[in-house]
């Protein structure tokens, strides 16, 4: 961005711009402030405006590139599904996603605009010690008032899925309706939730590369029971679509899959990792139940569940133990392994799990997510390096 700006500013270089241009982000207001210093007011204003223009152009180009890449993957998925059993239904869902991407491409960059161009100041901005001291005093009082009111009362949340997509840089794969808290389940609400999971399974299957076994992990920005519900629903839908699936509860701090599947507490992942830490790969492998053999010549799906275990603890997650676990999983007949992974923000073991899977899906509730958390989520996903298929929004209609 600085290199592009330097070409439009005679006498400037990347080094000089880096020294004279500053940028600050206000995530609570979704505002980026760019300021520049120079020997004349006119040059300072021009520098700030040129850098802002370069930033907007880069963001729009990056958004278009992400959309074009997603369109190519979906079109390739459609070509691969033609003529396959059940392919017509999946193709219809993928084409709906393509239509949404076309709309996003047409409006790419519209979410980020230049709100207030720089104008040459009438007086020098600094040094002005008396004014700065007054501002600092007022600002300190204001910050103290905000802290007293509390972050939960004043910090805004992300309102729309489109905003989450823009802040994280990853597309929305599906919107899962939130089940109301009632004594008895609403059959219509349960049907809508199941259909949403089936649509998500079709999109996920289209994004995964063709290979014998897929390893997929669902994570979330923070601890949330919705992640486990989406993991369970997606696993069922993939099994119904023909996958020989194994779902593993890898969230060892807040295990939930056993309860969701109506299982009694039993030895599971924790005991498997404990054996793997001792180097006993044979005992670890014996704890993974092989999928049932199908008597039908046609491909039929199945679903097995590996709970967190009776001694669940994140301390069991070590690189050697995970290596043995995933080596043993590769020897099984499962075509798809889905992990209910730990949250990403503040849970270091999440990165260890993420390094061993093929792709990640992020489950979020925008109404509970601060813009600053979305920025941090994007940074953490970039550090992990594992491909991210996109966001799943919980609480959609």
């Amino acid at each position: 961005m600085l290199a592009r700006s330097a070409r439009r500013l005679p006498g400037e270089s990347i080094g000089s711009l880096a020294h004279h241009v500053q940028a600050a982000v206000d995530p609570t207001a979704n505002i980026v402030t760019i300021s520049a210093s120079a020997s004349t007011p006119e040059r300072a204003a021009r520098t700030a405006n040129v850098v802002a223009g370069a930033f907007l152009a880069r963001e729009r180009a990056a958004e278009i590139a992400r959309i074009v890449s997603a369109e190519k993957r979906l079109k390739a998925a459609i070509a691969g599904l033609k003529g396959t059993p059940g392919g017509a239904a999946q193709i219809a869902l993928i084409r709906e996603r393509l239509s949404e991407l076309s709309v996003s491409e047409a409006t790419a960059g519209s979410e980020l605009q230049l709100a207030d161009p720089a104008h040459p100041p009438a007086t020098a901005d600094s040094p002005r010690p008396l004014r700065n001291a007054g501002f600092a005093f007022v600002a300190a009082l204001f910050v103290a008032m905000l802290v007293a009111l509390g972050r939960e009362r004043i910090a805004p949340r992300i309102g729309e899925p489109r905003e989450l997509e823009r802040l994280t840089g990853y597309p929305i794969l599906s919107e899962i309706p939130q089940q109301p808290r009632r004594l008895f389940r609403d059959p219509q609400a349960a049907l809508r939730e199941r259909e949403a999971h089936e649509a998500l399974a079709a999109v996920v299957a289209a994004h995964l590369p063709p290979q014998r076994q897929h390893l997929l992990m669902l994570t979330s920005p923070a601890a949330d029971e919705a992640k486990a519900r989406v993991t369970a629903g997606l696993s069922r839908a993939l099994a119904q679509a023909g996958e020989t699936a194994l779902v593993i509860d890898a969230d060892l701090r807040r295990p939930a899959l056993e309860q969701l599947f109506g299982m009694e507490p039993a030895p599971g992942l924790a005991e498997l990792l404990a054996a793997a830490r001792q180097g006993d790969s044979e005992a670890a492998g014996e704890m993974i139940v092989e999928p049932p053999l199908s008597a039908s010549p046609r491909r039929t799906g199945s679903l097995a569940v590996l709970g967190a275990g009776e001694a669940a603890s994140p301390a069991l997650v070590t690189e050697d133990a995970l290596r043995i676990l995933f080596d043993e999983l590769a020897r099984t007949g499962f075509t798809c392994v889905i992990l209910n992974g730990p949250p990403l923000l503040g849970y270091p073991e999440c990165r260890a799990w993420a390094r061993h899977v093929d792709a990640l899906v992020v489950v979020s509730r925008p109404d509970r997510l601060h813009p600053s958390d979305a920025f941090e989520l994007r940074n953490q996903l970039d550090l992990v390096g594992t491909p991210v298929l996109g966001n799943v929004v919980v609480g959609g209609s």
Side-chain angles (χ1 to χ4, degrees):
M1 186 178 66
L2 293 180
R4 181 182 298 182
S5 301
R7 289 194 292 268
R8 296 184 55 192
L9 295 168
E12 296 286 358
S13 64
I14 297 176
S16 64
L17 286 178
H19 182 69
H20 292 106
V21 176
Q22 296 82 35
V25 179
D26 182 358
T28 62
N30 294 336
I31 293 175
V32 179
T33 302
I34 297 175
S35 59
S37 59
S39 57
T40 65
E42 293 77 12
R43 187 169 184 81
R46 173 169 168 73
T47 300
N49 287 329
V50 168
V51 173
F55 173 69
L56 292 174
R58 188 199 67 174
E59 288 297 302
R60 185 177 188 277
E63 186 174 351
I64 291 176
R66 287 193 296 268
I67 293 172
V68 170
S69 176
E71 287 177 338
K72 288 181 179 179
R73 291 197 302 269
L74 291 177
K75 288 177 181 178
I78 289 176
L81 289 170
K82 288 181 178 179
T84 62
Q90 296 186 31
I91 288 174
L93 293 169
I94 295 172
R95 282 177 175 161
E96 288 182 12
R97 179 58 184 157
L98 278 172
S99 299
E100 295 173 2
L101 288 176
S102 298
V103 175
S104 298
E105 186 174 3
T107 59
S110 61
E111 296 291 334
L112 197 61
Q113 299 179 2
L114 182 61
D116 187 12
H119 299 285
T123 59
D125 181 70
S126 62
R128 299 178 69 178
L130 292 178
R131 184 204 63 175
N132 292 344
F135 282 168
F137 178 73
V138 174
L141 290 178
F142 182 66
V143 170
M145 291 174 61
L146 293 184
V147 172
L149 289 174
R151 182 174 184 262
E152 294 300 320
R153 293 178 60 87
I154 62 174
R157 268 61 166 185
I158 298 173
E160 298 293 334
R162 179 77 181 275
E163 187 179 0
L164 175 65
E165 186 175 51
R166 181 177 64 81
L167 292 174
T168 62
Y170 297 105
I172 303 298
L173 300 178
S174 180
E175 295 184 34
I176 308 295
Q178 179 64 38
Q179 280 277 15
R181 293 183 178 276
R182 297 176 179 173
L183 184 60
F184 300 101
R185 286 173 62 88
D186 180 1
Q188 291 300 319
L191 177 61
R192 289 193 297 270
E193 184 179 9
R194 185 170 67 251
E195 289 175 345
H197 285 132
E198 291 172 354
L200 174 61
V203 174
V204 166
H207 279 75
L208 292 173
Q211 58 191 51
R212 190 186 71 84
Q213 187 182 80
H214 298 118
L215 299 170
L216 177 70
M217 188 173 86
L218 278 73
T219 184
S220 58
D224 192 339
E225 69 276 6
K227 170 175 61 66
R229 291 188 63 87
V230 174
T231 303
L234 174 61
S235 302
R236 292 189 182 100
L238 287 170
Q240 291 168 0
E243 296 286 350
T244 305
L246 170 66
V247 58
I248 301 175
D249 199 344
D251 191 348
L252 298 179
R253 296 177 190 260
R254 294 178 54 132
L257 289 188
E258 290 177 339
Q259 181 180 357
L260 288 173
F261 283 98
M263 301 168 55
E264 294 293 330
L269 178 64
E271 287 71 25
L272 190 157
L273 291 176
R277 289 187 65 180
Q278 301 298 323
D280 193 346
S281 58
E282 182 177 351
E286 290 176 353
M287 297 182 191
I288 303 176
V289 179
E290 284 284 348
L293 297 175
S294 173
S296 171
R298 299 181 60 185
R299 180 182 177 185
T300 57
S302 65
L303 177 62
V305 180
L306 180 63
E310 297 176 309
S313 168
L316 295 168
V317 181
T318 64
E319 189 58 35
D320 289 341
L322 291 183
R323 178 179 51 78
I324 291 176
L325 167 64
F326 284 97
D327 285 346
E328 294 300 324
L329 288 173
R331 297 188 179 96
T332 67
F334 293 105
T335 62
C336 190
V337 178
I338 309 99
L339 278 71
N340 174 42
L344 190 58
L345 303 183
Y347 295 78
E349 68 270 20
C350 184
R351 286 195 195 180
W353 286 104
R355 284 193 290 267
H356 288 271
V357 300
D358 301 318
L360 297 172
V361 171
V362 182
V363 180
S364 302
R365 297 199 208 200
D367 60 339
R368 299 186 180 182
L369 194 62
H370 295 266
S372 58
D373 294 332
F375 279 112
E376 180 62 19
L377 176 67
R378 181 174 181 172
N379 292 335
Q380 291 297 323
L381 290 172
D382 290 342
L383 291 174
V384 168
T386 303
V388 181
L389 301 188
N391 295 287
V392 173
V393 172
V394 175
S397 57

